[in-house]
Amino acid sequence: MSSTRRMPARDLAQIAVFAALIIALGLPGQITIGSSGVPITLQSLGVMLAGALLGARKGVLSVTTVIVIGLALPVLAGGRTTLTSLAGPTAGFLIGWIPAVAVIGWLSMRMLPRYRTVLGVGVNVLGGIVVLYALGIAGMVLRTDLTVWAAAAANVAFLPGDLIKAVVAAAVAAQVHRAYPALLAARIPRQPAADPTH
């Protein structure tokens, strides 16, 4: 693999840090509301932050790292593993982390060099609530005997908390991008020297 295509150490470090952050946000545990079996956790805040601060590519890699680690270790909130989550009603929410962080990361990068908090909240809501809930509800329908409407209704109680997470993630992202504007800057790959024989 060419050195220009190899992921820089700084990017790898950022991916590892945010994977660790998402795992750490699961340590306080979980609160289950109602009978849906889907708990409230802080890990979705970590997913929003990963997208808003790292962009789509690194955000997806950080979330995927957590999911892969979860195959062997109980790194998800409540001491769950990836397989435990995929076997239950939370399957769609866990899978939904990947498109959610991708949407947040891609749209956040479109805002730069000036990240705007209000628009950032909207981006977090789109990825971290609309996209995540769509896949989460689909997973609940497949894993339980709930209808689509019943599954959607079961998630209404989670909306206030997730809206707060969207605001917090946007506020943090605005401060970080203001202090460190190069965090999401796209790299321009170095072009190989032209071959004089061609």
Side-chain angles (χ1 to χ4, degrees):
M1 181 182 290
S2 168
S3 60
T4 60
R5 297 175 65 93
R6 199 173 295 134
M7 185 170 289
R10 188 187 74 165
D11 288 359
L12 291 172
Q14 290 172 352
I15 291 164
V17 165
F18 273 83
L21 173 64
I22 294 170
I23 292 171
L25 286 172
L27 294 179
Q30 61 186 27
I31 300 172
T32 301
I33 295 179
S35 59
S36 67
V38 178
I40 295 176
T41 79
L42 290 176
Q43 288 187 305
S44 55
L45 172 60
V47 173
M48 292 182 191
L49 285 169
L53 292 174
L54 297 184
R57 182 177 66 112
K58 290 186 288 185
V60 166
L61 287 172
S62 64
V63 165
T64 303
T65 298
V66 175
I67 294 173
V68 170
I69 292 173
L71 291 172
L73 299 172
V75 296
L76 302 179
R80 293 172 301 137
T81 65
T82 295
L83 293 178
T84 302
S85 181
L86 291 177
T90 59
F93 287 97
L94 181 61
I95 294 170
W97 280 6
I98 295 173
V101 76
V103 168
I104 293 170
W106 188 83
L107 291 175
S108 294
M109 196 164 187
R110 303 280 79 76
M111 274 192 274
L112 297 181
R114 184 170 171 267
Y115 184 95
R116 293 174 291 283
T117 305
V118 174
L119 188 54
V121 172
V123 167
N124 293 339
V125 167
L126 177 61
I129 295 180
V130 176
V131 171
L132 189 59
Y133 277 42
L135 289 167
I137 289 168
M140 289 176 67
V141 170
L142 291 173
R143 293 293 186 185
T144 68
D145 58 359
L146 294 173
T147 65
V148 173
W149 293 113
N155 283 281
V156 171
F158 298 96
L159 277 173
D162 286 334
L163 286 170
I164 292 172
K165 294 174 193 174
V167 172
V168 170
V172 170
Q175 293 299 318
V176 172
H177 287 306
R178 188 174 298 119
Y180 187 31
L183 186 66
L184 269 181
R187 283 189 176 77
I188 301 174
R190 295 164 61 186
Q191 299 296 325
D195 188 341
T197 63
H198 285 75

Short mmCIF file of all heavy atoms in Angstrom, two decimals, residues 76-129:
data_model
loop_
_atom_site.label_atom_id
_atom_site.label_comp_id
_atom_site.label_asym_id
_atom_site.label_seq_id
_atom_site.Cartn_x
_atom_site.Cartn_y
_atom_site.Cartn_z
N LEU A 76 -21.02 -2.30 25.38
CA LEU A 76 -22.24 -1.53 25.20
C LEU A 76 -22.91 -1.30 26.55
O LEU A 76 -22.69 -2.04 27.50
CB LEU A 76 -23.18 -2.26 24.24
CG LEU A 76 -22.61 -2.55 22.86
CD1 LEU A 76 -23.62 -3.29 22.00
CD2 LEU A 76 -22.18 -1.26 22.16
N ALA A 77 -23.71 -0.25 26.63
CA ALA A 77 -24.34 0.13 27.89
C ALA A 77 -25.08 -1.06 28.51
O ALA A 77 -25.70 -1.86 27.80
CB ALA A 77 -25.30 1.28 27.66
N GLY A 78 -24.99 -1.16 29.82
CA GLY A 78 -25.65 -2.27 30.52
C GLY A 78 -24.85 -3.55 30.49
O GLY A 78 -25.37 -4.62 30.81
N GLY A 79 -23.56 -3.47 30.07
CA GLY A 79 -22.73 -4.67 30.03
C GLY A 79 -23.09 -5.62 28.91
O GLY A 79 -22.86 -6.83 29.01
N ARG A 80 -23.67 -5.06 27.83
CA ARG A 80 -24.06 -5.92 26.71
C ARG A 80 -22.94 -6.02 25.69
O ARG A 80 -22.10 -5.13 25.56
CB ARG A 80 -25.32 -5.36 26.03
CG ARG A 80 -26.57 -5.40 26.89
CD ARG A 80 -27.72 -4.65 26.24
NE ARG A 80 -27.35 -3.26 26.02
CZ ARG A 80 -27.62 -2.57 24.92
NH1 ARG A 80 -28.25 -3.14 23.92
NH2 ARG A 80 -27.26 -1.30 24.82
N THR A 81 -22.94 -7.11 24.95
CA THR A 81 -22.02 -7.27 23.83
C THR A 81 -22.77 -6.96 22.54
O THR A 81 -23.99 -6.79 22.53
CB THR A 81 -21.48 -8.71 23.75
OG1 THR A 81 -22.59 -9.59 23.47
CG2 THR A 81 -20.82 -9.13 25.05
N THR A 82 -22.04 -6.89 21.45
CA THR A 82 -22.66 -6.65 20.15
C THR A 82 -23.67 -7.76 19.82
O THR A 82 -24.77 -7.48 19.35
CB THR A 82 -21.58 -6.58 19.06
OG1 THR A 82 -20.76 -5.44 19.30
CG2 THR A 82 -22.19 -6.47 17.68
N LEU A 83 -23.29 -9.00 20.09
CA LEU A 83 -24.18 -10.12 19.76
C LEU A 83 -25.45 -10.08 20.61
O LEU A 83 -26.54 -10.38 20.12
CB LEU A 83 -23.44 -11.44 19.95
CG LEU A 83 -22.28 -11.69 18.97
CD1 LEU A 83 -21.60 -13.01 19.27
CD2 LEU A 83 -22.77 -11.65 17.53
N THR A 84 -25.31 -9.70 21.89
CA THR A 84 -26.48 -9.57 22.75
C THR A 84 -27.43 -8.53 22.21
O THR A 84 -28.65 -8.72 22.15
CB THR A 84 -26.06 -9.18 24.18
OG1 THR A 84 -25.16 -10.17 24.69
CG2 THR A 84 -27.27 -9.09 25.10
N SER A 85 -26.86 -7.40 21.80
CA SER A 85 -27.69 -6.31 21.26
C SER A 85 -28.36 -6.71 19.96
O SER A 85 -29.54 -6.43 19.74
CB SER A 85 -26.82 -5.07 21.05
OG SER A 85 -27.59 -4.00 20.56
N LEU A 86 -27.62 -7.38 19.09
CA LEU A 86 -28.17 -7.77 17.79
C LEU A 86 -29.27 -8.83 17.93
O LEU A 86 -30.12 -8.96 17.05
CB LEU A 86 -27.07 -8.29 16.88
CG LEU A 86 -26.05 -7.25 16.40
CD1 LEU A 86 -24.96 -7.92 15.57
CD2 LEU A 86 -26.74 -6.16 15.58
N ALA A 87 -29.25 -9.56 19.04
CA ALA A 87 -30.25 -10.61 19.25
C ALA A 87 -31.53 -10.07 19.87
O ALA A 87 -32.52 -10.79 19.94
CB ALA A 87 -29.67 -11.71 20.14
N GLY A 88 -31.52 -8.82 20.30
CA GLY A 88 -32.68 -8.26 20.99
C GLY A 88 -33.31 -7.11 20.23
O GLY A 88 -32.99 -6.85 19.07
N PRO A 89 -34.21 -6.39 20.89
CA PRO A 89 -34.93 -5.29 20.23
C PRO A 89 -34.07 -4.08 19.90
O PRO A 89 -34.51 -3.20 19.17
CB PRO A 89 -36.02 -4.93 21.25
CG PRO A 89 -35.48 -5.38 22.57
CD PRO A 89 -34.68 -6.61 22.27
N THR A 90 -32.84 -4.04 20.43
CA THR A 90 -31.95 -2.91 20.15
C THR A 90 -31.12 -3.09 18.88
O THR A 90 -30.32 -2.23 18.55
CB THR A 90 -30.98 -2.69 21.33
OG1 THR A 90 -30.20 -3.87 21.52
CG2 THR A 90 -31.74 -2.36 22.61
N ALA A 91 -31.32 -4.19 18.16
CA ALA A 91 -30.49 -4.49 16.99
C ALA A 91 -30.48 -3.35 15.98
O ALA A 91 -29.41 -2.95 15.49
CB ALA A 91 -30.99 -5.78 16.32
N GLY A 92 -31.63 -2.82 15.66
CA GLY A 92 -31.71 -1.76 14.66
C GLY A 92 -31.01 -0.49 15.09
O GLY A 92 -30.42 0.22 14.27
N PHE A 93 -31.06 -0.21 16.39
CA PHE A 93 -30.38 0.99 16.90
C PHE A 93 -28.87 0.85 16.80
O PHE A 93 -28.17 1.79 16.43
CB PHE A 93 -30.81 1.29 18.34
CG PHE A 93 -32.20 1.82 18.45
CD1 PHE A 93 -33.25 0.96 18.75
CD2 PHE A 93 -32.48 3.15 18.23
CE1 PHE A 93 -34.55 1.44 18.85
CE2 PHE A 93 -33.77 3.64 18.31
CZ PHE A 93 -34.82 2.78 18.62
N LEU A 94 -28.36 -0.33 17.13
CA LEU A 94 -26.90 -0.55 17.05
C LEU A 94 -26.44 -0.46 15.59
O LEU A 94 -25.47 0.24 15.29
CB LEU A 94 -26.53 -1.91 17.65
CG LEU A 94 -25.04 -2.24 17.63
CD1 LEU A 94 -24.25 -1.22 18.44
CD2 LEU A 94 -24.79 -3.65 18.15
N ILE A 95 -27.14 -1.15 14.69
CA ILE A 95 -26.78 -1.07 13.27
C ILE A 95 -26.94 0.36 12.77
O ILE A 95 -26.16 0.85 11.94
CB ILE A 95 -27.66 -2.04 12.45
CG1 ILE A 95 -27.34 -3.48 12.83
CG2 ILE A 95 -27.47 -1.82 10.95
CD1 ILE A 95 -28.32 -4.50 12.27
N GLY A 96 -27.94 1.06 13.29
CA GLY A 96 -28.21 2.43 12.87
C GLY A 96 -27.13 3.42 13.24
O GLY A 96 -27.07 4.53 12.69
N TRP A 97 -26.26 3.07 14.20
CA TRP A 97 -25.15 3.96 14.54
C TRP A 97 -24.31 4.30 13.31
O TRP A 97 -23.84 5.43 13.17
CB TRP A 97 -24.23 3.27 15.56
CG TRP A 97 -24.71 3.33 16.97
CD1 TRP A 97 -25.90 3.81 17.43
CD2 TRP A 97 -24.00 2.87 18.12
NE1 TRP A 97 -25.97 3.68 18.79
CE2 TRP A 97 -24.82 3.11 19.25
CE3 TRP A 97 -22.75 2.28 18.30
CZ2 TRP A 97 -24.43 2.78 20.53
CZ3 TRP A 97 -22.36 1.94 19.59
CH2 TRP A 97 -23.18 2.20 20.70
N ILE A 98 -24.12 3.33 12.42
CA ILE A 98 -23.22 3.55 11.28
C ILE A 98 -23.78 4.57 10.29
O ILE A 98 -23.11 5.57 9.99
CB ILE A 98 -22.87 2.21 10.60
CG1 ILE A 98 -22.08 1.34 11.58
CG2 ILE A 98 -22.08 2.44 9.32
CD1 ILE A 98 -21.82 -0.07 11.10
N PRO A 99 -25.01 4.41 9.76
CA PRO A 99 -25.53 5.45 8.88
C PRO A 99 -25.78 6.77 9.62
O PRO A 99 -25.65 7.84 9.02
CB PRO A 99 -26.84 4.86 8.34
CG PRO A 99 -27.18 3.75 9.27
CD PRO A 99 -25.89 3.23 9.81
N ALA A 100 -26.11 6.70 10.91
CA ALA A 100 -26.33 7.93 11.67
C ALA A 100 -25.06 8.77 11.73
O ALA A 100 -25.07 9.98 11.46
CB ALA A 100 -26.81 7.60 13.09
N VAL A 101 -23.94 8.15 12.08
CA VAL A 101 -22.69 8.90 12.19
C VAL A 101 -22.22 9.34 10.81
O VAL A 101 -21.61 10.41 10.66
CB VAL A 101 -21.61 8.06 12.92
CG1 VAL A 101 -21.03 6.98 12.02
CG2 VAL A 101 -20.49 8.96 13.44
N ALA A 102 -22.51 8.55 9.78
CA ALA A 102 -22.12 8.93 8.42
C ALA A 102 -22.87 10.18 7.97
O ALA A 102 -22.29 11.11 7.39
CB ALA A 102 -22.39 7.78 7.45
N VAL A 103 -24.18 10.23 8.22
CA VAL A 103 -24.98 11.41 7.85
C VAL A 103 -24.52 12.64 8.62
O VAL A 103 -24.32 13.71 8.03
CB VAL A 103 -26.48 11.13 8.12
CG1 VAL A 103 -27.30 12.43 8.01
CG2 VAL A 103 -27.01 10.10 7.13
N ILE A 104 -24.35 12.49 9.93
CA ILE A 104 -23.90 13.62 10.74
C ILE A 104 -22.53 14.11 10.30
O ILE A 104 -22.29 15.31 10.15
CB ILE A 104 -23.87 13.24 12.24
CG1 ILE A 104 -25.29 12.98 12.75
CG2 ILE A 104 -23.20 14.34 13.07
CD1 ILE A 104 -25.35 12.36 14.13
N GLY A 105 -21.63 13.17 10.06
CA GLY A 105 -20.27 13.54 9.65
C GLY A 105 -20.23 14.22 8.30
O GLY A 105 -19.53 15.23 8.12
N TRP A 106 -20.97 13.70 7.34
CA TRP A 106 -20.95 14.27 5.99
C TRP A 106 -21.54 15.68 6.00
O TRP A 106 -20.97 16.61 5.41
CB TRP A 106 -21.72 13.37 5.04
CG TRP A 106 -21.58 13.79 3.61
CD1 TRP A 106 -20.55 13.49 2.75
CD2 TRP A 106 -22.50 14.61 2.86
NE1 TRP A 106 -20.77 14.06 1.53
CE2 TRP A 106 -21.95 14.76 1.56
CE3 TRP A 106 -23.71 15.21 3.16
CZ2 TRP A 106 -22.58 15.49 0.57
CZ3 TRP A 106 -24.34 15.96 2.17
CH2 TRP A 106 -23.78 16.09 0.89
N LEU A 107 -22.66 15.86 6.66
CA LEU A 107 -23.31 17.17 6.69
C LEU A 107 -22.53 18.17 7.54
O LEU A 107 -22.47 19.36 7.21
CB LEU A 107 -24.74 17.04 7.21
CG LEU A 107 -25.71 16.31 6.26
CD1 LEU A 107 -27.06 16.13 6.93
CD2 LEU A 107 -25.86 17.07 4.95
N SER A 108 -21.90 17.70 8.61
CA SER A 108 -21.09 18.59 9.44
C SER A 108 -19.91 19.13 8.65
O SER A 108 -19.54 20.30 8.75
CB SER A 108 -20.59 17.86 10.70
OG SER A 108 -21.67 17.52 11.54
N MET A 109 -19.31 18.28 7.85
CA MET A 109 -18.16 18.70 7.05
C MET A 109 -18.56 19.73 6.00
O MET A 109 -17.77 20.60 5.64
CB MET A 109 -17.50 17.49 6.39
CG MET A 109 -16.12 17.77 5.88
SD MET A 109 -15.24 16.23 5.54
CE MET A 109 -13.61 16.90 5.17
N ARG A 110 -19.81 19.63 5.51
CA ARG A 110 -20.29 20.60 4.52
C ARG A 110 -20.39 22.00 5.11
O ARG A 110 -20.39 22.98 4.39
CB ARG A 110 -21.68 20.19 3.99
CG ARG A 110 -21.76 18.81 3.36
CD ARG A 110 -21.25 18.75 1.93
NE ARG A 110 -19.81 18.70 1.79
CZ ARG A 110 -19.07 17.63 2.02
NH1 ARG A 110 -19.61 16.50 2.43
NH2 ARG A 110 -17.77 17.67 1.85
N MET A 111 -20.53 22.10 6.44
CA MET A 111 -20.65 23.40 7.10
C MET A 111 -19.33 24.13 7.23
O MET A 111 -19.30 25.35 7.32
CB MET A 111 -21.24 23.23 8.50
CG MET A 111 -22.73 23.20 8.56
SD MET A 111 -23.25 23.34 10.29
CE MET A 111 -23.19 21.62 10.79
N LEU A 112 -18.25 23.39 7.30
CA LEU A 112 -16.96 24.01 7.58
C LEU A 112 -16.52 24.92 6.44
O LEU A 112 -16.93 24.71 5.30
CB LEU A 112 -15.93 22.90 7.81
CG LEU A 112 -16.21 22.03 9.03
CD1 LEU A 112 -15.12 21.00 9.19
CD2 LEU A 112 -16.37 22.85 10.29
N PRO A 113 -15.74 25.95 6.72
CA PRO A 113 -14.94 26.16 7.93
C PRO A 113 -15.68 26.80 9.10
O PRO A 113 -15.10 26.99 10.16
CB PRO A 113 -13.83 27.10 7.45
CG PRO A 113 -14.46 27.90 6.37
CD PRO A 113 -15.42 26.94 5.68
N ARG A 114 -16.95 27.16 8.93
CA ARG A 114 -17.68 27.79 10.04
C ARG A 114 -18.83 26.88 10.47
O ARG A 114 -19.88 26.85 9.84
CB ARG A 114 -18.21 29.15 9.61
CG ARG A 114 -18.91 29.91 10.74
CD ARG A 114 -19.19 31.35 10.34
NE ARG A 114 -20.04 31.99 11.34
CZ ARG A 114 -21.36 32.05 11.28
NH1 ARG A 114 -22.00 31.50 10.25
NH2 ARG A 114 -22.06 32.65 12.22
N TYR A 115 -18.60 26.14 11.53
CA TYR A 115 -19.63 25.26 12.07
C TYR A 115 -20.65 26.11 12.81
O TYR A 115 -20.31 26.88 13.71
CB TYR A 115 -19.00 24.23 13.02
CG TYR A 115 -19.97 23.20 13.56
CD1 TYR A 115 -20.11 21.97 12.92
CD2 TYR A 115 -20.73 23.45 14.69
CE1 TYR A 115 -20.99 21.01 13.42
CE2 TYR A 115 -21.62 22.51 15.19
CZ TYR A 115 -21.75 21.29 14.54
OH TYR A 115 -22.62 20.35 15.03
N ARG A 116 -21.93 25.99 12.44
CA ARG A 116 -22.99 26.79 13.05
C ARG A 116 -23.81 25.90 13.99
O ARG A 116 -24.33 24.86 13.57
CB ARG A 116 -23.86 27.42 11.97
CG ARG A 116 -23.10 28.47 11.16
CD ARG A 116 -23.89 28.99 10.00
NE ARG A 116 -24.10 28.02 8.94
CZ ARG A 116 -23.18 27.66 8.05
NH1 ARG A 116 -21.96 28.18 8.11
NH2 ARG A 116 -23.45 26.78 7.12
N THR A 117 -23.94 26.32 15.23
CA THR A 117 -24.56 25.50 16.27
C THR A 117 -25.99 25.11 15.94
O THR A 117 -26.37 23.94 16.06
CB THR A 117 -24.52 26.23 17.63
OG1 THR A 117 -23.17 26.60 17.93
CG2 THR A 117 -25.05 25.33 18.74
N VAL A 118 -26.80 26.09 15.52
CA VAL A 118 -28.21 25.80 15.25
C VAL A 118 -28.34 24.79 14.11
O VAL A 118 -29.10 23.82 14.19
CB VAL A 118 -28.98 27.09 14.92
CG1 VAL A 118 -30.41 26.76 14.49
CG2 VAL A 118 -29.00 28.02 16.13
N LEU A 119 -27.56 25.00 13.05
CA LEU A 119 -27.59 24.06 11.93
C LEU A 119 -27.03 22.71 12.37
O LEU A 119 -27.52 21.65 11.96
CB LEU A 119 -26.78 24.61 10.76
CG LEU A 119 -26.85 23.84 9.44
CD1 LEU A 119 -28.30 23.65 8.99
CD2 LEU A 119 -26.04 24.56 8.37
N GLY A 120 -26.03 22.75 13.26
CA GLY A 120 -25.46 21.51 13.78
C GLY A 120 -26.48 20.70 14.57
O GLY A 120 -26.51 19.47 14.49
N VAL A 121 -27.33 21.38 15.33
CA VAL A 121 -28.41 20.69 16.04
C VAL A 121 -29.31 19.97 15.04
O VAL A 121 -29.69 18.81 15.23
CB VAL A 121 -29.23 21.67 16.91
CG1 VAL A 121 -30.46 20.96 17.48
CG2 VAL A 121 -28.38 22.24 18.04
N GLY A 122 -29.67 20.68 13.95
CA GLY A 122 -30.51 20.07 12.92
C GLY A 122 -29.87 18.85 12.30
O GLY A 122 -30.53 17.83 12.06
N VAL A 123 -28.56 18.94 12.05
CA VAL A 123 -27.82 17.81 11.48
C VAL A 123 -27.83 16.63 12.45
O VAL A 123 -28.05 15.48 12.05
CB VAL A 123 -26.37 18.24 11.15
CG1 VAL A 123 -25.49 17.02 10.88
CG2 VAL A 123 -26.35 19.18 9.96
N ASN A 124 -27.60 16.90 13.73
CA ASN A 124 -27.60 15.84 14.74
C ASN A 124 -28.97 15.20 14.88
O ASN A 124 -29.09 13.99 15.10
CB ASN A 124 -27.14 16.39 16.09
CG ASN A 124 -25.68 16.80 16.08
OD1 ASN A 124 -24.90 16.35 15.24
ND2 ASN A 124 -25.31 17.67 17.00
N VAL A 125 -30.02 16.02 14.76
CA VAL A 125 -31.38 15.49 14.83
C VAL A 125 -31.65 14.59 13.62
O VAL A 125 -32.20 13.49 13.75
CB VAL A 125 -32.41 16.63 14.89
CG1 VAL A 125 -33.82 16.10 14.64
CG2 VAL A 125 -32.35 17.32 16.25
N LEU A 126 -31.22 15.04 12.45
CA LEU A 126 -31.44 14.24 11.23
C LEU A 126 -30.74 12.89 11.32
O LEU A 126 -31.35 11.84 11.09
CB LEU A 126 -30.94 15.01 10.00
CG LEU A 126 -31.05 14.26 8.66
CD1 LEU A 126 -32.50 13.92 8.35
CD2 LEU A 126 -30.43 15.08 7.53
N GLY A 127 -29.45 12.90 11.67
CA GLY A 127 -28.71 11.65 11.73
C GLY A 127 -28.96 10.86 13.00
O GLY A 127 -29.20 9.65 12.95
N GLY A 128 -28.91 11.57 14.15
CA GLY A 128 -28.98 10.88 15.43
C GLY A 128 -30.37 10.57 15.92
O GLY A 128 -30.51 9.81 16.89
N ILE A 129 -31.39 11.13 15.28
CA ILE A 129 -32.76 10.81 15.67
C ILE A 129 -33.54 10.23 14.49
O ILE A 129 -34.02 9.10 14.55
CB ILE A 129 -33.48 12.05 16.25
CG1 ILE A 129 -32.80 12.49 17.56
CG2 ILE A 129 -34.95 11.73 16.51
CD1 ILE A 129 -33.42 13.70 18.22
#
